[in-house]
Amino acid sequence: MTAFDYRQGELHAEEVALSAIARQYGTPCYVYSRQAIESAWKAWDNALRDVPHMVCFAVKANSNLAVLNLLARLGAGFDIVSGGELERVLAAGGDPSRVVFSGLGKTADEMHRALEVGIHCFNVESAPELERLQQVAAELGVQAPVSLRVNPDVDAGTHPYISTGLKENKFGIDIVSAPAVYRRAADLPNIRVVGVDCHIGSQLTDDAPFIDALQRLLALIDQLAADGIRVEHLDLGGGLGVTYRDEQPPAPGDYLRKVSDMVAGRNLTLLFEPGRSIVANAGVLLTRVNLLKPTEHKNFAIIDAAMNDLIRPALYSAWMGIDAVRPRSDDAALDWDIVGPVCETGDFLGKDRRLALAEGDLLAVRSAGAYGFVMSSNYNTRGRAAEVMVDGGTTHLVRRRETVSELFAGESLLPEA
Ligand code: LLP
C-alpha cells in the first residue's frame, strides 16, 4: 500500500480522503504524506548505515518548513543553494553543521552568514568564488571548509535543462582544471579543503552515469593525495530519478550499495544531496475541474490549478500522472487536455488524458511533492496554493493559501501629480 491509494472508490492520502481535504482547505492545494517522506528518507539512510555518511536533502525540491522539520527530526542534513534556504533550514530546526552550500553565485553576504552559523561545507563552483570565500573567511578570522564541485563531463542522459555535468554546462570546475584549483585552495590561509563534490543532473533513471562520475572523482582523489591534499568526504550530489509514468530508476538501496562498494577501504565519508527521490512521490496537487469545454478539435478540462502552481509540464514538457479523486464509470471517458486558466497556451498540466469528468470533480496531479510548490509563482496575480501535510488520519495546514491583498502588499502608487 502506498501513501496515495484508493479506498472505497476514493483516492486517499494515508487515511484521509482527498475530498475531505478539498472541503476543509480548498483547492488548488498541495497534499504531502508524512509517512511517504519518512519512508523515502529511510530508504537512503538505511542503505548507508554501514558506511560513514550524511544525506543532505536538497532543499530546493521542497522547502516547506514542516517538510524540512520532519527531515531534521530524522537526522537529515541539508543541501542549500541560497541564504534564503539557509534561513529556512535554521527556522525548521535543521543542524547547520550538517549543511552543505551548493550553487555557483554565492554572494559575500551569504558566505558570511553561512560561516557565522558554522555550516559543514561550501561546494565551491569556480576559482573566483574560492578567492571571494577566502576574503570573507579572513574578515571573520575563520577557516572555511571547502569542497570543489567538479564537473566530470559525463552525460546524465536526462532533459537538457536539468543535465548539469557536461563541459558546456555552467556548473562546477572542469575535472582537468580541478587539481590546480585544489592546490590554490590548499595554499589559502582561510580555506580548509574537506571534500570533492559533483552533481551531474536530475531525474536519472540509470545509475551508469553516477558510477562513471564516481570513477572519475576517485581518480581525482588519488591524484590529489599524490599532491599531498587529502579529502575527508566525497559528495555525489543528488539526481536519482523517480517514477512519474513508467520510468524504472534504480532503487536507492541498489545504487548506494554499488557506490559504497566502490569506496570501501578509502576512509571517506559519503555525502549525497537527494531532493526529488525523497519527496516527489510523497505529494500530489489537488485541483478541481472548474469548467468543461469540449470543442470540435479538442476537449479541454479547465481546472483551478495552473502553470503558476505547477510549472513542470510547461517548462520541461514533463508528464505527470493525473487521476480522478472519485473515478466515474469509464463509459463516459473522453480524451481531455487538462488546462489552467492562465493566458498562455503552455498552461497545461496534462494532454490527451482519458478520463470521465464532470464539472466540480476533483483531480490529483501525482508526483508533485518535488519541484512543485517551490517553483510556483504569482503570474496572473494568482495567490499560491495551500500546503497540507497528512499524518495518518490527521491533517495539518503547513502553509496557508496566499490572499490577493498579500500579493500587492509590497507595492506602492506614484505620488500624486
Ligand atoms: N544538488 C545540486 C547541486 C542540485 O543542483 C540539485 C538539483 C540537487 C542536488 C537535487 O537533485 P534531485 O535529487 O532533486 O534530482 N526543477 C527541475 C529539477 C531541477 C534540479 C536542479 N538541481 C524539475 O522539476 O525537474
Short mmCIF file of all heavy atoms in Angstrom, two decimals, residues 196-238:
data_model
loop_
_atom_site.label_atom_id
_atom_site.label_comp_id
_atom_site.label_asym_id
_atom_site.label_seq_id
_atom_site.Cartn_x
_atom_site.Cartn_y
_atom_site.Cartn_z
N VAL A 196 35.39 16.50 -2.05
CA VAL A 196 35.20 16.60 -3.50
C VAL A 196 33.71 16.40 -3.74
O VAL A 196 33.08 15.55 -3.09
CB VAL A 196 35.99 15.50 -4.25
CG1 VAL A 196 35.67 15.52 -5.74
CG2 VAL A 196 37.48 15.67 -4.05
N ASP A 197 33.17 17.17 -4.69
CA ASP A 197 31.73 17.15 -4.90
C ASP A 197 31.41 17.13 -6.38
O ASP A 197 32.16 17.68 -7.19
CB ASP A 197 31.16 18.43 -4.24
CG ASP A 197 29.75 18.77 -4.67
OD1 ASP A 197 28.89 17.90 -4.56
OD2 ASP A 197 29.53 19.92 -5.10
N CYS A 198 30.30 16.50 -6.74
CA CYS A 198 29.76 16.69 -8.09
C CYS A 198 28.25 16.52 -8.04
O CYS A 198 27.69 16.00 -7.07
CB CYS A 198 30.39 15.72 -9.09
SG CYS A 198 29.72 14.05 -9.03
N HIS A 199 27.59 17.03 -9.05
CA HIS A 199 26.16 16.79 -9.23
C HIS A 199 25.95 16.83 -10.73
O HIS A 199 26.19 17.87 -11.35
CB HIS A 199 25.32 17.87 -8.52
CG HIS A 199 23.87 17.78 -8.88
ND1 HIS A 199 23.01 16.86 -8.29
CD2 HIS A 199 23.12 18.44 -9.80
CE1 HIS A 199 21.80 16.99 -8.83
NE2 HIS A 199 21.85 17.94 -9.75
N ILE A 200 25.57 15.70 -11.31
CA ILE A 200 25.62 15.63 -12.78
C ILE A 200 24.28 15.86 -13.46
O ILE A 200 24.23 16.00 -14.68
CB ILE A 200 26.22 14.29 -13.26
CG1 ILE A 200 25.42 13.11 -12.71
CG2 ILE A 200 27.70 14.19 -12.87
CD1 ILE A 200 25.89 11.75 -13.28
N GLY A 201 23.21 15.92 -12.69
CA GLY A 201 21.91 16.14 -13.32
C GLY A 201 20.82 15.57 -12.46
O GLY A 201 21.08 15.03 -11.39
N SER A 202 19.61 15.70 -12.94
CA SER A 202 18.45 15.32 -12.15
C SER A 202 17.58 14.36 -12.94
O SER A 202 17.63 14.32 -14.17
CB SER A 202 17.67 16.60 -11.82
OG SER A 202 16.80 16.41 -10.76
N GLN A 203 16.79 13.56 -12.20
CA GLN A 203 15.87 12.58 -12.83
C GLN A 203 16.64 11.57 -13.69
O GLN A 203 16.27 11.27 -14.81
CB GLN A 203 14.75 13.31 -13.61
CG GLN A 203 13.67 12.43 -14.25
CD GLN A 203 12.98 11.47 -13.27
OE1 GLN A 203 13.12 11.55 -12.06
NE2 GLN A 203 12.23 10.51 -13.78
N LEU A 204 17.75 11.06 -13.14
CA LEU A 204 18.49 9.99 -13.82
C LEU A 204 17.77 8.67 -13.56
O LEU A 204 17.43 8.36 -12.42
CB LEU A 204 19.92 9.88 -13.29
CG LEU A 204 20.96 10.76 -13.99
CD1 LEU A 204 20.81 12.20 -13.55
CD2 LEU A 204 22.37 10.26 -13.71
N THR A 205 17.57 7.90 -14.61
CA THR A 205 16.86 6.64 -14.45
C THR A 205 17.79 5.44 -14.64
O THR A 205 17.36 4.30 -14.67
CB THR A 205 15.68 6.55 -15.43
OG1 THR A 205 16.16 6.86 -16.73
CG2 THR A 205 14.60 7.54 -15.05
N ASP A 206 19.07 5.75 -14.74
CA ASP A 206 20.08 4.71 -14.92
C ASP A 206 21.24 5.11 -14.01
O ASP A 206 21.56 6.31 -13.92
CB ASP A 206 20.49 4.75 -16.40
CG ASP A 206 21.62 3.79 -16.71
OD1 ASP A 206 21.96 2.95 -15.85
OD2 ASP A 206 22.17 3.88 -17.84
N ASP A 207 21.86 4.14 -13.33
CA ASP A 207 22.95 4.57 -12.43
C ASP A 207 24.31 4.58 -13.11
O ASP A 207 25.30 5.02 -12.51
CB ASP A 207 22.96 3.77 -11.11
CG ASP A 207 23.11 2.27 -11.32
OD1 ASP A 207 23.56 1.87 -12.41
OD2 ASP A 207 22.76 1.52 -10.39
N ALA A 208 24.38 4.19 -14.38
CA ALA A 208 25.69 4.16 -15.05
C ALA A 208 26.40 5.53 -15.05
O ALA A 208 27.60 5.59 -14.76
CB ALA A 208 25.53 3.62 -16.47
N PRO A 209 25.70 6.63 -15.34
CA PRO A 209 26.41 7.92 -15.31
C PRO A 209 26.95 8.28 -13.92
O PRO A 209 28.03 8.87 -13.79
CB PRO A 209 25.35 8.94 -15.75
CG PRO A 209 24.33 8.14 -16.50
CD PRO A 209 24.31 6.79 -15.84
N PHE A 210 26.23 7.89 -12.86
CA PHE A 210 26.72 8.14 -11.50
C PHE A 210 28.03 7.37 -11.26
O PHE A 210 28.97 7.88 -10.66
CB PHE A 210 25.72 7.66 -10.44
CG PHE A 210 24.47 8.50 -10.31
CD1 PHE A 210 23.21 7.93 -10.47
CD2 PHE A 210 24.54 9.84 -9.99
CE1 PHE A 210 22.06 8.67 -10.32
CE2 PHE A 210 23.39 10.60 -9.84
CZ PHE A 210 22.14 10.00 -10.01
N ILE A 211 28.03 6.12 -11.71
CA ILE A 211 29.19 5.26 -11.48
C ILE A 211 30.38 5.79 -12.28
O ILE A 211 31.52 5.83 -11.79
CB ILE A 211 28.85 3.79 -11.86
CG1 ILE A 211 27.66 3.31 -11.01
CG2 ILE A 211 30.06 2.88 -11.70
CD1 ILE A 211 27.85 3.36 -9.51
N ASP A 212 30.09 6.24 -13.49
CA ASP A 212 31.11 6.84 -14.34
C ASP A 212 31.71 8.08 -13.64
O ASP A 212 32.94 8.23 -13.51
CB ASP A 212 30.41 7.23 -15.65
CG ASP A 212 31.39 7.61 -16.74
OD1 ASP A 212 32.60 7.56 -16.48
OD2 ASP A 212 30.92 7.98 -17.84
N ALA A 213 30.85 8.93 -13.12
CA ALA A 213 31.30 10.15 -12.43
C ALA A 213 32.12 9.77 -11.19
O ALA A 213 33.17 10.36 -10.91
CB ALA A 213 30.11 11.01 -12.04
N LEU A 214 31.64 8.77 -10.46
CA LEU A 214 32.33 8.35 -9.25
C LEU A 214 33.75 7.87 -9.57
O LEU A 214 34.71 8.24 -8.87
CB LEU A 214 31.53 7.23 -8.55
CG LEU A 214 32.18 6.57 -7.34
CD1 LEU A 214 32.52 7.59 -6.26
CD2 LEU A 214 31.26 5.48 -6.75
N GLN A 215 33.88 7.09 -10.65
CA GLN A 215 35.22 6.62 -11.02
C GLN A 215 36.15 7.80 -11.29
O GLN A 215 37.31 7.82 -10.87
CB GLN A 215 35.15 5.72 -12.26
CG GLN A 215 34.90 4.28 -11.86
CD GLN A 215 34.32 3.44 -13.00
OE1 GLN A 215 33.88 3.97 -14.02
NE2 GLN A 215 34.33 2.14 -12.81
N ARG A 216 35.62 8.79 -11.99
CA ARG A 216 36.46 9.96 -12.31
C ARG A 216 36.83 10.73 -11.04
O ARG A 216 37.93 11.24 -10.90
CB ARG A 216 35.74 10.87 -13.30
CG ARG A 216 35.55 10.18 -14.65
CD ARG A 216 34.75 11.03 -15.61
NE ARG A 216 34.31 10.18 -16.72
CZ ARG A 216 34.21 10.59 -17.97
NH1 ARG A 216 34.49 11.84 -18.29
NH2 ARG A 216 33.80 9.78 -18.92
N LEU A 217 35.88 10.81 -10.11
CA LEU A 217 36.16 11.52 -8.86
C LEU A 217 37.19 10.77 -8.01
O LEU A 217 38.06 11.38 -7.38
CB LEU A 217 34.87 11.70 -8.06
CG LEU A 217 34.25 13.10 -8.08
CD1 LEU A 217 34.10 13.64 -9.48
CD2 LEU A 217 32.95 13.16 -7.34
N LEU A 218 37.09 9.44 -8.02
CA LEU A 218 38.07 8.66 -7.24
C LEU A 218 39.47 8.82 -7.83
O LEU A 218 40.46 8.94 -7.08
CB LEU A 218 37.66 7.18 -7.19
CG LEU A 218 36.40 6.88 -6.35
CD1 LEU A 218 36.00 5.41 -6.47
CD2 LEU A 218 36.61 7.24 -4.87
N ALA A 219 39.55 8.87 -9.15
CA ALA A 219 40.86 9.08 -9.79
C ALA A 219 41.41 10.46 -9.40
O ALA A 219 42.61 10.62 -9.11
CB ALA A 219 40.73 8.97 -11.31
N LEU A 220 40.52 11.45 -9.33
CA LEU A 220 40.95 12.80 -8.91
C LEU A 220 41.43 12.77 -7.46
O LEU A 220 42.45 13.39 -7.12
CB LEU A 220 39.78 13.79 -9.07
CG LEU A 220 39.99 15.19 -8.49
CD1 LEU A 220 41.12 15.92 -9.24
CD2 LEU A 220 38.71 16.02 -8.55
N ILE A 221 40.70 12.06 -6.60
CA ILE A 221 41.09 11.98 -5.18
C ILE A 221 42.49 11.37 -5.06
O ILE A 221 43.32 11.84 -4.27
CB ILE A 221 40.03 11.18 -4.38
CG1 ILE A 221 38.75 12.02 -4.25
CG2 ILE A 221 40.55 10.77 -3.00
CD1 ILE A 221 37.59 11.33 -3.58
N ASP A 222 42.77 10.35 -5.87
CA ASP A 222 44.11 9.73 -5.85
C ASP A 222 45.17 10.73 -6.30
O ASP A 222 46.25 10.82 -5.72
CB ASP A 222 44.14 8.49 -6.76
CG ASP A 222 43.29 7.37 -6.18
OD1 ASP A 222 43.02 7.40 -4.96
OD2 ASP A 222 42.87 6.48 -6.94
N GLN A 223 44.83 11.47 -7.33
CA GLN A 223 45.78 12.46 -7.85
C GLN A 223 46.06 13.54 -6.80
O GLN A 223 47.20 13.95 -6.60
CB GLN A 223 45.16 13.08 -9.11
CG GLN A 223 46.13 13.83 -10.00
CD GLN A 223 45.39 14.48 -11.17
OE1 GLN A 223 44.28 14.09 -11.54
NE2 GLN A 223 46.01 15.49 -11.76
N LEU A 224 45.00 13.95 -6.12
CA LEU A 224 45.17 14.97 -5.07
C LEU A 224 46.04 14.42 -3.94
O LEU A 224 46.93 15.13 -3.43
CB LEU A 224 43.81 15.41 -4.51
CG LEU A 224 42.88 16.16 -5.47
CD1 LEU A 224 41.55 16.45 -4.79
CD2 LEU A 224 43.52 17.46 -5.95
N ALA A 225 45.79 13.17 -3.57
CA ALA A 225 46.57 12.55 -2.48
C ALA A 225 48.05 12.57 -2.85
O ALA A 225 48.91 12.84 -2.01
CB ALA A 225 46.08 11.14 -2.22
N ALA A 226 48.33 12.29 -4.13
CA ALA A 226 49.73 12.29 -4.58
C ALA A 226 50.33 13.70 -4.46
O ALA A 226 51.54 13.86 -4.29
CB ALA A 226 49.80 11.79 -6.02
N ASP A 227 49.47 14.71 -4.54
CA ASP A 227 49.90 16.11 -4.37
C ASP A 227 49.92 16.52 -2.89
O ASP A 227 50.08 17.70 -2.56
CB ASP A 227 48.92 17.05 -5.07
CG ASP A 227 49.27 17.25 -6.53
OD1 ASP A 227 50.33 16.76 -6.96
OD2 ASP A 227 48.47 17.90 -7.24
N GLY A 228 49.60 15.60 -2.01
CA GLY A 228 49.59 15.91 -0.58
C GLY A 228 48.30 16.56 -0.11
O GLY A 228 48.23 17.14 0.98
N ILE A 229 47.24 16.46 -0.91
CA ILE A 229 45.95 17.03 -0.48
C ILE A 229 44.99 15.89 -0.19
O ILE A 229 44.63 15.11 -1.08
CB ILE A 229 45.36 17.95 -1.58
CG1 ILE A 229 46.32 19.10 -1.86
CG2 ILE A 229 43.98 18.46 -1.18
CD1 ILE A 229 45.95 19.94 -3.07
N ARG A 230 44.58 15.77 1.09
CA ARG A 230 43.70 14.68 1.47
C ARG A 230 42.28 15.19 1.72
O ARG A 230 42.10 16.19 2.42
CB ARG A 230 44.22 13.99 2.74
CG ARG A 230 43.78 12.54 2.86
CD ARG A 230 44.08 11.95 4.23
NE ARG A 230 43.05 12.30 5.22
CZ ARG A 230 41.82 11.79 5.24
NH1 ARG A 230 41.44 10.92 4.34
NH2 ARG A 230 40.97 12.14 6.18
N VAL A 231 41.30 14.54 1.12
CA VAL A 231 39.92 14.96 1.36
C VAL A 231 39.24 13.97 2.31
O VAL A 231 39.59 12.79 2.33
CB VAL A 231 39.11 15.09 0.06
CG1 VAL A 231 39.70 16.15 -0.85
CG2 VAL A 231 38.96 13.77 -0.67
N GLU A 232 38.29 14.50 3.08
CA GLU A 232 37.59 13.67 4.06
C GLU A 232 36.28 13.10 3.51
O GLU A 232 35.83 12.06 3.94
CB GLU A 232 37.26 14.50 5.31
CG GLU A 232 38.50 14.98 6.04
CD GLU A 232 38.23 16.25 6.86
OE1 GLU A 232 37.06 16.51 7.23
OE2 GLU A 232 39.21 16.98 7.14
N HIS A 233 35.67 13.84 2.60
CA HIS A 233 34.38 13.33 2.10
C HIS A 233 34.26 13.42 0.59
O HIS A 233 34.93 14.20 -0.06
CB HIS A 233 33.20 14.01 2.81
CG HIS A 233 32.86 15.38 2.31
ND1 HIS A 233 32.82 16.48 3.13
CD2 HIS A 233 32.51 15.84 1.09
CE1 HIS A 233 32.47 17.55 2.43
NE2 HIS A 233 32.29 17.19 1.19
N LEU A 234 33.36 12.58 0.09
CA LEU A 234 33.04 12.57 -1.32
C LEU A 234 31.53 12.76 -1.44
O LEU A 234 30.76 12.00 -0.85
CB LEU A 234 33.48 11.24 -1.92
CG LEU A 234 33.38 11.07 -3.43
CD1 LEU A 234 34.33 9.97 -3.87
CD2 LEU A 234 31.99 10.72 -3.88
N ASP A 235 31.13 13.80 -2.15
CA ASP A 235 29.71 14.14 -2.28
C ASP A 235 29.29 13.88 -3.73
O ASP A 235 29.81 14.51 -4.65
CB ASP A 235 29.55 15.63 -1.90
CG ASP A 235 28.11 16.11 -2.01
OD1 ASP A 235 27.28 15.42 -2.60
OD2 ASP A 235 27.83 17.23 -1.49
N LEU A 236 28.36 12.93 -3.90
CA LEU A 236 27.95 12.57 -5.27
C LEU A 236 26.70 13.32 -5.73
O LEU A 236 26.13 13.01 -6.77
CB LEU A 236 27.68 11.07 -5.36
CG LEU A 236 28.81 10.18 -5.88
CD1 LEU A 236 28.32 8.75 -6.06
CD2 LEU A 236 29.35 10.69 -7.22
N GLY A 237 26.28 14.31 -4.95
CA GLY A 237 25.14 15.13 -5.37
C GLY A 237 23.82 14.39 -5.28
O GLY A 237 23.69 13.37 -4.60
N GLY A 238 22.84 14.93 -5.96
CA GLY A 238 21.51 14.29 -5.99
C GLY A 238 21.30 13.68 -7.35
O GLY A 238 22.25 13.24 -7.98
#
